Amino acid sequence: MIGRRLSPNLALNQLVARRRGDGESIVHLGFGEARLPAFRPLVERLVAGAERSLYGTVAGSTAVREAAAGYFTRRRVAAAPDQIVVAPGSKPLLMALNMVIPGDVLLPRPCWNTYAPQAAYAGKRAFGVPIPDECGGVPEPAALRETVRAARARGHDPRIVVLTLPDNPTGTLAPPSLVREICAIAEEEDLYLISDEIYRDLLHDPARPVLSPAEVVPRRTVVTTGLSKSLAIGGWRIGVACFPDGAWGRDILAGVTSFASEVWSTLAGPMQEVAAYAFAEPVELREHLAAIVRLHGAVAREVHRSTVAAGATCRPPTGGFYIYPDFEPVRGALERRGITDSDSFQRQLLDEFGVAVLAGHHLGDDEGALRFKAATGQLYGETQEQQELALRAEDPLRLRHITETLTRIEESFAKLCR
Ligand SMILES: Cc1ncc(COP(=O)(O)O)c(C=O)c1O
């Protein structure tokens, strides 16, 4: 069934833009975008690629697929260029996977707001499985097993598990031990894994161990990633999928490429030029990324501190630019203000305090819970100059334009919970 409403995060982003356009001052924690200037060498590659105006190969040029294969191989996911497909964003690749892999879908709950609608468009059921206390992005293993068995007993066919490593919305990374447990269940229950690793290069501590399920059960894992988040070029739309070696992987890749050929044809030529450069990870790009990561980490930790100071519980963020606080401990104070569920929470934060967040029920969470996602990637300044300053600052939290915004957030949460 095709709906008529925009995806809630994009709808909220447009609402914020409209209200700001009308003169309202809004702190935007409601959209997963890093507000940073495009790195100069990327712009240069884009311009250099402008002459590439013909349709290209559906899966992407050899050069871009070689670069992406190298990118995955350096992350211990050995890949050859013919296991790679590039596309205008990882979103269409995830949709294609939904169309091509048979069976129903198992999702961590909460999870990114697009997984469930995509499954629905593909005619699949989506089963939400609670996440563990320690992190998001993976279902709690015992609950996963139970959900699979219960669904099969009712005649459904859960077959695909989506993992987000690191996670949107919690900003956390599942440890290797948990990933291994999920992989073991996948083997036992004959499940396939889609590992969405779009935040992988945004781990705040680069030494933190990352295990992709593609290292453990390579034949049953497809990995997706892209440049939207790590390099803050979401509007350029560059995504990539890495398919398993072997008969199943080849079949799914053929299906995704066929779908691509009927829907988007190919990734735009200039973007392939950018992607070939970026996936080769030259040293200047790695240094730029390291600066981005430091900034995300510092600001996400500070917003996390504000929510905890106001009385919420919240998993400490370790990757990306999100936190997912739970205000249940201060439910009494919120109820006195008329905030009784996740919907009224989002509404009042915006209307009374001018703070935009995305309510948890949009992410599959309980409507009655007092949880939301705060995306912290838009707090680096309104102008390119401010954003550059933030990127280069030894301590971005001491920059006036950032301090002012963080103080407003802290005061809003504190006042709300008083
Ligand atoms: C977890 C996750 N996966 C995928 C995407 C889609 O990214 P893109 O289509 O820009 O590659 C997003 C964007 O918000 C995301 O948060």
Side-chain angles (χ1 to χ4, degrees), residues 250-293:
R250 272 195 295 279
D251 181 57
I252 298 305
L253 182 146
V256 165
T257 316
S258 165
F259 183 82
S261 73
E262 304 295 4
V263 181
W264 65 82
S265 297
T266 182
L267 172 60
M271 295 312 168
Q272 293 200 34
E273 188 82 20
V274 170
Y277 164 79
F279 286 123
E281 303 181 276
V283 64
E284 70 278 8
L285 194 74
R286 279 184 275 138
E287 283 168 7
H288 176 68
L289 189 57
I292 291 181
V293 167

mmCIF file of all heavy atoms in Angstrom, residues 250-293:
data_model
loop_
_atom_site.group_PDB
_atom_site.id
_atom_site.type_symbol
_atom_site.label_atom_id
_atom_site.label_comp_id
_atom_site.label_asym_id
_atom_site.label_seq_id
_atom_site.Cartn_x
_atom_site.Cartn_y
_atom_site.Cartn_z
ATOM 1 N N ARG A 250 25.102 -13.804 -5.492
ATOM 2 C CA ARG A 250 25.049 -13.465 -6.930
ATOM 3 C C ARG A 250 23.608 -13.290 -7.391
ATOM 4 O O ARG A 250 23.279 -12.394 -8.161
ATOM 5 C CB ARG A 250 25.741 -14.551 -7.763
ATOM 6 C CG ARG A 250 27.245 -14.300 -7.913
ATOM 7 C CD ARG A 250 27.851 -15.162 -9.017
ATOM 8 N NE ARG A 250 27.795 -16.587 -8.712
ATOM 9 C CZ ARG A 250 28.672 -17.215 -7.918
ATOM 10 N NH1 ARG A 250 29.671 -16.543 -7.376
ATOM 11 N NH2 ARG A 250 28.553 -18.505 -7.663
ATOM 12 N N ASP A 251 22.737 -14.164 -6.875
ATOM 13 C CA ASP A 251 21.329 -14.084 -7.265
ATOM 14 C C ASP A 251 20.695 -12.780 -6.762
ATOM 15 O O ASP A 251 19.970 -12.101 -7.503
ATOM 16 C CB ASP A 251 20.583 -15.307 -6.692
ATOM 17 C CG ASP A 251 19.129 -15.292 -7.096
ATOM 18 O OD1 ASP A 251 18.860 -15.248 -8.319
ATOM 19 O OD2 ASP A 251 18.255 -15.283 -6.207
ATOM 20 N N ILE A 252 20.989 -12.422 -5.520
ATOM 21 C CA ILE A 252 20.401 -11.191 -4.954
ATOM 22 C C ILE A 252 20.964 -9.962 -5.674
ATOM 23 O O ILE A 252 20.233 -9.016 -5.994
ATOM 24 C CB ILE A 252 20.666 -11.116 -3.422
ATOM 25 C CG1 ILE A 252 20.003 -12.306 -2.710
ATOM 26 C CG2 ILE A 252 20.174 -9.812 -2.824
ATOM 27 C CD1 ILE A 252 18.524 -12.460 -2.970
ATOM 28 N N LEU A 253 22.260 -9.993 -5.964
ATOM 29 C CA LEU A 253 22.860 -8.873 -6.702
ATOM 30 C C LEU A 253 22.197 -8.733 -8.076
ATOM 31 O O LEU A 253 21.875 -7.622 -8.511
ATOM 32 C CB LEU A 253 24.374 -9.075 -6.840
ATOM 33 C CG LEU A 253 25.121 -7.948 -7.545
ATOM 34 C CD1 LEU A 253 26.523 -7.771 -6.932
ATOM 35 C CD2 LEU A 253 25.284 -8.159 -9.039
ATOM 36 N N ALA A 254 21.960 -9.865 -8.733
ATOM 37 C CA ALA A 254 21.312 -9.803 -10.055
ATOM 38 C C ALA A 254 19.915 -9.192 -9.912
ATOM 39 O O ALA A 254 19.484 -8.382 -10.750
ATOM 40 C CB ALA A 254 21.239 -11.196 -10.671
ATOM 41 N N GLY A 255 19.212 -9.568 -8.846
ATOM 42 C CA GLY A 255 17.865 -9.024 -8.622
ATOM 43 C C GLY A 255 17.909 -7.531 -8.356
ATOM 44 O O GLY A 255 17.109 -6.750 -8.901
ATOM 45 N N VAL A 256 18.845 -7.102 -7.508
ATOM 46 C CA VAL A 256 18.952 -5.670 -7.173
ATOM 47 C C VAL A 256 19.341 -4.872 -8.422
ATOM 48 O O VAL A 256 18.808 -3.786 -8.681
ATOM 49 C CB VAL A 256 19.967 -5.463 -6.020
ATOM 50 C CG1 VAL A 256 20.372 -3.992 -5.886
ATOM 51 C CG2 VAL A 256 19.379 -5.973 -4.703
ATOM 52 N N THR A 257 20.244 -5.427 -9.224
ATOM 53 C CA THR A 257 20.675 -4.708 -10.437
ATOM 54 C C THR A 257 19.525 -4.612 -11.432
ATOM 55 O O THR A 257 19.337 -3.586 -12.096
ATOM 56 C CB THR A 257 21.895 -5.418 -11.072
ATOM 57 O OG1 THR A 257 22.791 -5.769 -10.039
ATOM 58 C CG2 THR A 257 22.613 -4.519 -12.052
ATOM 59 N N SER A 258 18.735 -5.672 -11.509
ATOM 60 C CA SER A 258 17.576 -5.641 -12.393
ATOM 61 C C SER A 258 16.589 -4.558 -11.931
ATOM 62 O O SER A 258 16.113 -3.739 -12.726
ATOM 63 C CB SER A 258 16.910 -7.028 -12.393
ATOM 64 O OG SER A 258 15.622 -6.950 -12.941
ATOM 65 N N PHE A 259 16.319 -4.540 -10.616
ATOM 66 C CA PHE A 259 15.420 -3.522 -10.047
ATOM 67 C C PHE A 259 15.974 -2.124 -10.339
ATOM 68 O O PHE A 259 15.266 -1.235 -10.808
ATOM 69 C CB PHE A 259 15.292 -3.756 -8.537
ATOM 70 C CG PHE A 259 14.338 -2.820 -7.846
ATOM 71 C CD1 PHE A 259 12.968 -3.060 -7.856
ATOM 72 C CD2 PHE A 259 14.800 -1.696 -7.171
ATOM 73 C CE1 PHE A 259 12.088 -2.192 -7.210
ATOM 74 C CE2 PHE A 259 13.926 -0.831 -6.522
ATOM 75 C CZ PHE A 259 12.565 -1.089 -6.545
ATOM 76 N N ALA A 260 17.285 -1.969 -10.107
ATOM 77 C CA ALA A 260 17.931 -0.675 -10.358
ATOM 78 C C ALA A 260 17.743 -0.252 -11.816
ATOM 79 O O ALA A 260 17.469 0.912 -12.116
ATOM 80 C CB ALA A 260 19.418 -0.760 -10.025
ATOM 81 N N SER A 261 17.865 -1.201 -12.711
ATOM 82 C CA SER A 261 17.791 -0.865 -14.144
ATOM 83 C C SER A 261 16.402 -0.381 -14.527
ATOM 84 O O SER A 261 16.238 0.342 -15.502
ATOM 85 C CB SER A 261 18.197 -2.071 -14.996
ATOM 86 O OG SER A 261 17.174 -3.052 -14.987
ATOM 87 N N GLU A 262 15.392 -0.771 -13.730
ATOM 88 C CA GLU A 262 14.023 -0.324 -14.016
ATOM 89 C C GLU A 262 13.635 0.918 -13.226
ATOM 90 O O GLU A 262 12.624 1.541 -13.509
ATOM 91 C CB GLU A 262 13.015 -1.447 -13.693
ATOM 92 C CG GLU A 262 13.266 -2.776 -14.400
ATOM 93 C CD GLU A 262 13.114 -2.713 -15.921
ATOM 94 O OE1 GLU A 262 12.880 -1.624 -16.475
ATOM 95 O OE2 GLU A 262 13.257 -3.777 -16.558
ATOM 96 N N VAL A 263 14.416 1.260 -12.201
ATOM 97 C CA VAL A 263 13.995 2.362 -11.333
ATOM 98 C C VAL A 263 14.929 3.580 -11.414
ATOM 99 O O VAL A 263 14.483 4.692 -11.622
ATOM 100 C CB VAL A 263 13.832 1.891 -9.870
ATOM 101 C CG1 VAL A 263 13.379 3.040 -8.972
ATOM 102 C CG2 VAL A 263 12.820 0.753 -9.778
ATOM 103 N N TRP A 264 16.230 3.377 -11.234
ATOM 104 C CA TRP A 264 17.114 4.558 -11.276
ATOM 105 C C TRP A 264 18.206 4.464 -12.340
ATOM 106 O O TRP A 264 18.981 5.397 -12.502
ATOM 107 C CB TRP A 264 17.718 4.859 -9.896
ATOM 108 C CG TRP A 264 18.652 3.824 -9.338
ATOM 109 C CD1 TRP A 264 19.979 3.662 -9.637
ATOM 110 C CD2 TRP A 264 18.359 2.822 -8.354
ATOM 111 N NE1 TRP A 264 20.523 2.632 -8.908
ATOM 112 C CE2 TRP A 264 19.543 2.091 -8.112
ATOM 113 C CE3 TRP A 264 17.198 2.459 -7.630
ATOM 114 C CZ2 TRP A 264 19.609 1.030 -7.203
ATOM 115 C CZ3 TRP A 264 17.278 1.408 -6.731
ATOM 116 C CH2 TRP A 264 18.454 0.697 -6.527
ATOM 117 N N SER A 265 18.318 3.371 -13.029
ATOM 118 C CA SER A 265 19.248 3.178 -14.165
ATOM 119 C C SER A 265 20.722 3.130 -13.760
ATOM 120 O O SER A 265 21.431 2.190 -14.072
ATOM 121 C CB SER A 265 19.077 4.252 -15.245
ATOM 122 O OG SER A 265 17.783 4.165 -15.780
ATOM 123 N N THR A 266 21.173 4.155 -13.050
ATOM 124 C CA THR A 266 22.590 4.205 -12.675
ATOM 125 C C THR A 266 22.802 5.374 -11.720
ATOM 126 O O THR A 266 21.958 6.276 -11.653
ATOM 127 C CB THR A 266 23.455 4.397 -13.949
ATOM 128 O OG1 THR A 266 24.840 4.396 -13.581
ATOM 129 C CG2 THR A 266 23.161 5.715 -14.661
ATOM 130 N N LEU A 267 23.895 5.335 -10.978
ATOM 131 C CA LEU A 267 24.267 6.504 -10.173
ATOM 132 C C LEU A 267 24.803 7.577 -11.129
ATOM 133 O O LEU A 267 25.607 7.274 -12.025
ATOM 134 C CB LEU A 267 25.347 6.112 -9.145
ATOM 135 C CG LEU A 267 25.999 7.250 -8.345
ATOM 136 C CD1 LEU A 267 24.969 8.027 -7.526
ATOM 137 C CD2 LEU A 267 27.080 6.702 -7.420
ATOM 138 N N ALA A 268 24.378 8.812 -10.936
ATOM 139 C CA ALA A 268 24.799 9.911 -11.814
ATOM 140 C C ALA A 268 26.325 9.920 -11.990
ATOM 141 O O ALA A 268 27.066 9.744 -11.011
ATOM 142 C CB ALA A 268 24.338 11.240 -11.220
ATOM 143 N N GLY A 269 26.771 10.129 -13.227
ATOM 144 C CA GLY A 269 28.196 10.070 -13.559
ATOM 145 C C GLY A 269 29.088 10.921 -12.658
ATOM 146 O O GLY A 269 30.094 10.426 -12.127
ATOM 147 N N PRO A 270 28.746 12.217 -12.435
ATOM 148 C CA PRO A 270 29.609 13.033 -11.567
ATOM 149 C C PRO A 270 29.703 12.463 -10.146
ATOM 150 O O PRO A 270 30.742 12.567 -9.492
ATOM 151 C CB PRO A 270 28.896 14.397 -11.566
ATOM 152 C CG PRO A 270 28.085 14.407 -12.829
ATOM 153 C CD PRO A 270 27.670 13.002 -13.073
ATOM 154 N N MET A 271 28.625 11.857 -9.689
ATOM 155 C CA MET A 271 28.650 11.269 -8.340
ATOM 156 C C MET A 271 29.542 10.030 -8.303
ATOM 157 O O MET A 271 30.149 9.719 -7.283
ATOM 158 C CB MET A 271 27.231 10.914 -7.890
ATOM 159 C CG MET A 271 26.343 12.122 -7.729
ATOM 160 S SD MET A 271 27.157 13.419 -6.762
ATOM 161 C CE MET A 271 26.037 14.769 -7.066
ATOM 162 N N GLN A 272 29.609 9.320 -9.407
ATOM 163 C CA GLN A 272 30.518 8.170 -9.463
ATOM 164 C C GLN A 272 31.971 8.641 -9.358
ATOM 165 O O GLN A 272 32.809 7.984 -8.749
ATOM 166 C CB GLN A 272 30.297 7.377 -10.746
ATOM 167 C CG GLN A 272 28.928 6.719 -10.769
ATOM 168 C CD GLN A 272 28.851 5.571 -11.751
ATOM 169 O OE1 GLN A 272 29.813 4.846 -11.961
ATOM 170 N NE2 GLN A 272 27.684 5.388 -12.343
ATOM 171 N N GLU A 273 32.230 9.791 -9.965
ATOM 172 C CA GLU A 273 33.574 10.387 -9.876
ATOM 173 C C GLU A 273 33.902 10.694 -8.400
ATOM 174 O O GLU A 273 34.984 10.381 -7.913
ATOM 175 C CB GLU A 273 33.577 11.679 -10.709
ATOM 176 C CG GLU A 273 34.903 12.308 -10.890
ATOM 177 C CD GLU A 273 35.717 11.679 -12.014
ATOM 178 O OE1 GLU A 273 35.135 11.005 -12.888
ATOM 179 O OE2 GLU A 273 36.945 11.861 -11.985
ATOM 180 N N VAL A 274 32.943 11.298 -7.700
ATOM 181 C CA VAL A 274 33.127 11.624 -6.284
ATOM 182 C C VAL A 274 33.321 10.340 -5.477
ATOM 183 O O VAL A 274 34.225 10.233 -4.629
ATOM 184 C CB VAL A 274 31.884 12.391 -5.742
ATOM 185 C CG1 VAL A 274 31.941 12.526 -4.222
ATOM 186 C CG2 VAL A 274 31.762 13.757 -6.406
ATOM 187 N N ALA A 275 32.472 9.343 -5.752
ATOM 188 C CA ALA A 275 32.504 8.105 -4.963
ATOM 189 C C ALA A 275 33.822 7.363 -5.164
ATOM 190 O O ALA A 275 34.389 6.817 -4.206
ATOM 191 C CB ALA A 275 31.320 7.217 -5.348
ATOM 192 N N ALA A 276 34.339 7.356 -6.402
ATOM 193 C CA ALA A 276 35.603 6.647 -6.662
ATOM 194 C C ALA A 276 36.726 7.290 -5.851
ATOM 195 O O ALA A 276 37.571 6.601 -5.272
ATOM 196 C CB ALA A 276 35.933 6.682 -8.154
ATOM 197 N N TYR A 277 36.681 8.615 -5.764
ATOM 198 C CA TYR A 277 37.701 9.335 -4.965
ATOM 199 C C TYR A 277 37.512 9.006 -3.472
ATOM 200 O O TYR A 277 38.459 8.653 -2.763
ATOM 201 C CB TYR A 277 37.559 10.835 -5.218
ATOM 202 C CG TYR A 277 38.260 11.704 -4.200
ATOM 203 C CD1 TYR A 277 39.635 11.912 -4.273
ATOM 204 C CD2 TYR A 277 37.549 12.296 -3.163
ATOM 205 C CE1 TYR A 277 40.285 12.702 -3.323
ATOM 206 C CE2 TYR A 277 38.193 13.083 -2.214
ATOM 207 C CZ TYR A 277 39.556 13.279 -2.297
ATOM 208 O OH TYR A 277 40.194 14.049 -1.355
ATOM 209 N N ALA A 278 36.275 9.109 -2.994
ATOM 210 C CA ALA A 278 36.034 8.983 -1.550
ATOM 211 C C ALA A 278 36.287 7.556 -1.054
ATOM 212 O O ALA A 278 36.872 7.360 0.010
ATOM 213 C CB ALA A 278 34.606 9.411 -1.219
ATOM 214 N N PHE A 279 35.843 6.558 -1.824
ATOM 215 C CA PHE A 279 36.022 5.177 -1.347
ATOM 216 C C PHE A 279 37.487 4.733 -1.409
ATOM 217 O O PHE A 279 37.858 3.744 -0.789
ATOM 218 C CB PHE A 279 35.109 4.211 -2.100
ATOM 219 C CG PHE A 279 33.667 4.332 -1.673
ATOM 220 C CD1 PHE A 279 32.662 4.624 -2.590
ATOM 221 C CD2 PHE A 279 33.301 4.163 -0.343
ATOM 222 C CE1 PHE A 279 31.340 4.762 -2.198
ATOM 223 C CE2 PHE A 279 31.984 4.298 0.071
ATOM 224 C CZ PHE A 279 31.001 4.595 -0.860
ATOM 225 N N ALA A 280 38.311 5.484 -2.150
ATOM 226 C CA ALA A 280 39.753 5.187 -2.136
ATOM 227 C C ALA A 280 40.399 5.720 -0.851
ATOM 228 O O ALA A 280 41.536 5.367 -0.539
ATOM 229 C CB ALA A 280 40.422 5.788 -3.366
ATOM 230 N N GLU A 281 39.694 6.563 -0.110
ATOM 231 C CA GLU A 281 40.121 7.081 1.191
ATOM 232 C C GLU A 281 41.531 7.689 1.199
ATOM 233 O O GLU A 281 42.400 7.241 1.963
ATOM 234 C CB GLU A 281 40.039 5.983 2.251
ATOM 235 C CG GLU A 281 38.647 5.394 2.379
ATOM 236 C CD GLU A 281 38.585 4.319 3.442
ATOM 237 O OE1 GLU A 281 38.917 3.157 3.150
ATOM 238 O OE2 GLU A 281 38.206 4.662 4.571
ATOM 239 N N PRO A 282 41.775 8.688 0.374
ATOM 240 C CA PRO A 282 43.083 9.340 0.418
ATOM 241 C C PRO A 282 43.307 10.027 1.771
ATOM 242 O O PRO A 282 42.340 10.317 2.491
ATOM 243 C CB PRO A 282 42.997 10.381 -0.714
ATOM 244 C CG PRO A 282 41.542 10.619 -0.900
ATOM 245 C CD PRO A 282 40.845 9.336 -0.564
ATOM 246 N N VAL A 283 44.558 10.296 2.070
ATOM 247 C CA VAL A 283 44.911 10.749 3.415
ATOM 248 C C VAL A 283 44.188 12.040 3.814
ATOM 249 O O VAL A 283 43.713 12.172 4.959
ATOM 250 C CB VAL A 283 46.452 10.857 3.562
ATOM 251 C CG1 VAL A 283 47.034 11.903 2.632
ATOM 252 C CG2 VAL A 283 46.846 11.132 4.986
ATOM 253 N N GLU A 284 44.041 12.989 2.861
ATOM 254 C CA GLU A 284 43.396 14.270 3.237
ATOM 255 C C GLU A 284 41.928 14.047 3.612
ATOM 256 O O GLU A 284 41.376 14.724 4.477
ATOM 257 C CB GLU A 284 43.535 15.315 2.107
ATOM 258 C CG GLU A 284 42.730 15.076 0.840
ATOM 259 C CD GLU A 284 43.395 14.103 -0.137
ATOM 260 O OE1 GLU A 284 44.418 13.492 0.231
ATOM 261 O OE2 GLU A 284 42.867 13.944 -1.260
ATOM 262 N N LEU A 285 41.313 13.051 2.984
ATOM 263 C CA LEU A 285 39.915 12.767 3.298
ATOM 264 C C LEU A 285 39.803 12.122 4.693
ATOM 265 O O LEU A 285 38.897 12.425 5.467
ATOM 266 C CB LEU A 285 39.319 11.830 2.239
ATOM 267 C CG LEU A 285 37.805 11.720 2.264
ATOM 268 C CD1 LEU A 285 37.167 12.982 1.700
ATOM 269 C CD2 LEU A 285 37.329 10.518 1.471
ATOM 270 N N ARG A 286 40.769 11.254 4.979
ATOM 271 C CA ARG A 286 40.751 10.615 6.306
ATOM 272 C C ARG A 286 40.958 11.643 7.407
ATOM 273 O O ARG A 286 40.337 11.572 8.463
ATOM 274 C CB ARG A 286 41.806 9.506 6.375
ATOM 275 C CG ARG A 286 41.292 8.214 5.729
ATOM 276 C CD ARG A 286 42.273 7.091 5.861
ATOM 277 N NE ARG A 286 43.246 7.146 4.790
ATOM 278 C CZ ARG A 286 44.566 6.946 4.941
ATOM 279 N NH1 ARG A 286 45.074 6.691 6.121
ATOM 280 N NH2 ARG A 286 45.361 7.002 3.901
ATOM 281 N N GLU A 287 41.816 12.621 7.144
ATOM 282 C CA GLU A 287 42.044 13.670 8.158
ATOM 283 C C GLU A 287 40.782 14.520 8.342
ATOM 284 O O GLU A 287 40.411 14.859 9.461
ATOM 285 C CB GLU A 287 43.208 14.574 7.716
ATOM 286 C CG GLU A 287 44.540 13.890 7.946
ATOM 287 C CD GLU A 287 45.706 14.602 7.256
ATOM 288 O OE1 GLU A 287 45.499 15.708 6.694
ATOM 289 O OE2 GLU A 287 46.804 14.039 7.272
ATOM 290 N N HIS A 288 40.130 14.807 7.227
ATOM 291 C CA HIS A 288 38.890 15.587 7.297
ATOM 292 C C HIS A 288 37.833 14.820 8.103
ATOM 293 O O HIS A 288 37.164 15.380 8.976
ATOM 294 C CB HIS A 288 38.400 15.852 5.871
ATOM 295 C CG HIS A 288 37.095 16.569 5.799
ATOM 296 N ND1 HIS A 288 36.938 17.878 6.199
ATOM 297 C CD2 HIS A 288 35.867 16.150 5.383
ATOM 298 C CE1 HIS A 288 35.674 18.235 6.032
ATOM 299 N NE2 HIS A 288 35.008 17.210 5.538
ATOM 300 N N LEU A 289 37.730 13.542 7.827
ATOM 301 C CA LEU A 289 36.760 12.698 8.529
ATOM 302 C C LEU A 289 37.071 12.644 10.034
ATOM 303 O O LEU A 289 36.157 12.672 10.865
ATOM 304 C CB LEU A 289 36.783 11.288 7.903
ATOM 305 C CG LEU A 289 35.707 10.313 8.334
ATOM 306 C CD1 LEU A 289 34.317 10.873 8.088
ATOM 307 C CD2 LEU A 289 35.866 9.003 7.540
ATOM 308 N N ALA A 290 38.335 12.591 10.364
ATOM 309 C CA ALA A 290 38.714 12.545 11.792
ATOM 310 C C ALA A 290 38.237 13.820 12.491
ATOM 311 O O ALA A 290 37.751 13.761 13.633
ATOM 312 C CB ALA A 290 40.225 12.385 11.924
ATOM 313 N N ALA A 291 38.317 14.957 11.809
ATOM 314 C CA ALA A 291 37.852 16.220 12.403
ATOM 315 C C ALA A 291 36.331 16.188 12.579
ATOM 316 O O ALA A 291 35.792 16.620 13.605
ATOM 317 C CB ALA A 291 38.267 17.395 11.527
ATOM 318 N N ILE A 292 35.645 15.637 11.592
ATOM 319 C CA ILE A 292 34.177 15.534 11.668
ATOM 320 C C ILE A 292 33.773 14.670 12.868
ATOM 321 O O ILE A 292 32.886 15.022 13.652
ATOM 322 C CB ILE A 292 33.611 14.920 10.363
ATOM 323 C CG1 ILE A 292 33.778 15.900 9.191
ATOM 324 C CG2 ILE A 292 32.161 14.506 10.524
ATOM 325 C CD1 ILE A 292 33.219 15.389 7.864
ATOM 326 N N VAL A 293 34.467 13.553 13.006
ATOM 327 C CA VAL A 293 34.122 12.609 14.070
ATOM 328 C C VAL A 293 34.324 13.243 15.445
ATOM 329 O O VAL A 293 33.492 13.077 16.349
ATOM 330 C CB VAL A 293 34.978 11.320 13.909
ATOM 331 C CG1 VAL A 293 34.893 10.459 15.142
ATOM 332 C CG2 VAL A 293 34.545 10.541 12.674
#
